[in-house]
Amino acid sequence: MRLHPSRTGARLARELAALWLSGGTATRAVTGDALQVVAELAANAAVHGRVPGRFFLLTLRLTSADSVLRIEATDTRPDRLPTPQTPPTDSESGRGLLIVKALAARWGVTEGPTPRKTVWAELDLAPERDHPGPTD
């Protein structure tokens, strides 16, 4: 999905991801975590990766035989590589990558091709465990 680098674009990214995930195989817990990761990565792309006149790209896909959900946010600010930081306790922002790090099984940054960078996160999809199955 190609989105405008604004708070509205970041909100739309989350809404579109929710729609996409609603038809998938992810559990509710994974879907909730995935939507939070989408929100954080999209907000970072819109706020920190913004270049006037350029969009950011959000990609969601299943990999590894549909057992991993990969979320990618690509922007055109390769000079601003993200690093998790602990903000002051009274700060209302600055915890996005800490949240991504806590929720994702893996995350990282892929540089290029110029002038881009992609911040990605992967969530492992677990089978639904809401109802106990038969024990053998």
Side-chain angles (χ1 to χ4, degrees):
M1 297 172 261
R2 204 175 113 191
L3 300 155
H4 189 269
S6 63
R7 295 195 186 279
T8 301
R11 185 178 70 244
L12 181 59
R14 188 180 189 285
E15 292 171 2
L16 291 170
L19 184 64
W20 187 80
L21 288 165
S22 69
T25 59
T27 64
R28 282 187 189 158
V30 171
T31 297
D33 289 352
L35 291 176
Q36 186 64 48
V37 169
V38 166
E40 299 301 339
L41 294 184
N44 283 351
V47 173
H48 303 295
R50 181 184 176 127
V51 173
R54 301 237 175 119
F55 291 86
F56 75 93
L57 180 65
L58 178 73
T59 305
L60 283 80
R61 68 172 174 247
L62 295 174
T63 63
S64 301
D66 293 346
S67 64
V68 175
L69 172 63
R70 185 173 174 101
I71 302 164
E72 299 176 346
T74 302
D75 64 53
T76 52
R77 288 292 306 264
D79 57 316
R80 298 189 77 181
L81 297 179
T83 56
Q85 299 176 14
T86 304
T89 55
D90 60 344
S91 177
E92 294 183 11
S93 63
R95 293 172 182 81
L97 287 178
L98 295 175
I99 293 169
V100 170
K101 185 178 175 183
L103 295 177
R106 296 159 294 284
W107 80 276
V109 180
T110 304
E111 297 181 63
T114 302
R116 293 186 275 284
K117 73 170 177 300
T118 299
V119 183
W120 56 268
E122 293 181 340
L123 287 82
D124 295 327
L125 303 178
E128 188 72 55
R129 300 251 190 251
D130 289 347
H131 304 288
T135 55
D136 293 321

